[in-house]
Amino acid sequence: DIQMTQSPSSLSASIGDRVTITCRSSQSIRSFLNWYQQKPGKAPNLLIYTSSSLQTGVPSRFSGSGSGTDFTLTISSLQPEDFATYYCQQSYSTPLTFGGGTKVEIK
Amino acid sequence: QITLKESGPTLVKPTQTLTLTCTFSGFSLNTTGVGVGWIRQPPGKALEWVAIIYWDDDERYSPALKTRLTITKDTSKNQVVLTMTTMDPVDTATYYCAHSVGATRFDYWGQGTLVTVSS
């Protein structure tokens, strides 16, 4: 199985901050990496797919990068509605696996 | 507009079998590249992929759960059914079904259904 490791597990940030979340896979997954946002009590919402493609309807302040084993999700200017938990997920091979999540909280 | 909705029991007893149904609209599971997956999330914990079935009847399962799982589709009813045997309290979780395109991502999700395993 491909293990996905996110860091940090949580962070505190202020409105307007630039936020970066990292995801590392235990082996190369090329660019088969997705990012989801989840708010409490809600289903996850796809933000970024295949490492850097922005899902339709997602604000452009979200961006993704990386290939191989190291990936990054960046929020260029944190907004109040961005406080949530973020998950990475590899779709390179089954079993599909998710990272442990990064909770973004208000500073 | 793609929508999915999970249905099934909210409470099951240990050792019982869980059957969950995902009823969807806005797409067909006969379309090349389309899949429907199940993902679960124990309270306060991370997401865990469970199973997926594709348009061509290919089925994939989590190795940790494989011996207990069956996933089937009924394209005439626009439904996917997940069966999990020998339920245990550690299986308590919110179970989501989700639409997958090109076997690359889950782009539409159901609202989820909380299943509690308790005697």
Side-chain angles (χ1 to χ4, degrees), chain B residues 46-112:
Chain B
L47 300 165
E48 178 188 16
W49 174 72
V50 174
I52 191 166
I53 190 165
Y54 294 106
W55 84 100
D56 59 355
D57 295 324
D58 187 15
E59 305 163 22
R60 303 292 176 99
Y61 297 100
S62 165
L65 301 170
K66 182 179 175 63
T67 60
R68 301 168 52 205
L69 294 174
T70 305
I71 189 170
T72 60
K73 64 183 177 73
D74 185 332
T75 52
S76 65
K77 293 182 179 179
N78 281 353
Q79 291 182 333
V80 170
V81 175
L82 179 75
T83 303
M84 183 179 296
T85 62
T86 324
M87 293 292 285
D88 182 272
V90 299
D91 296 313
T92 294
T94 297
Y95 287 76
Y96 297 98
C97 64
H99 170 271
S100 173
V101 58
T104 61
R105 58 195 183 268
F106 294 112
D107 54 354
Y108 295 90
W109 294 63
Q111 63 190 23

Side-chain angles (χ1 to χ4, degrees), chain A residues 4-76:
Chain A
M4 307 301 295
T5 304
Q6 283 183 239
S7 61
S9 56
S10 65
L11 65 89
S12 296
S14 300
I15 303 300
D17 282 355
R18 183 181 182 87
V19 170
T20 298
I21 298 168
T22 297
C23 180
R24 176 166 289 175
S25 56
S26 60
Q27 65 187 73
S28 176
I29 56 172
R30 293 165 55 188
S31 294
F32 291 98
L33 191 282
N34 307 313
W35 290 98
Y36 300 86
Q37 176 194 67
Q38 187 180 33
K39 297 182 179 179
K42 299 294 186 182
N45 180 47
L46 178 67
L47 299 176
I48 302 285
Y49 61 94
T50 52
S51 180
S52 60
S53 297
L54 191 68
Q55 174 69 357
T56 302
V58 173
S60 59
R61 63 180 179 274
F62 292 93
S63 63
S65 64
S67 65
T69 61
D70 294 297
F71 301 87
T72 299
L73 172 70
T74 300
I75 309 172
S76 60

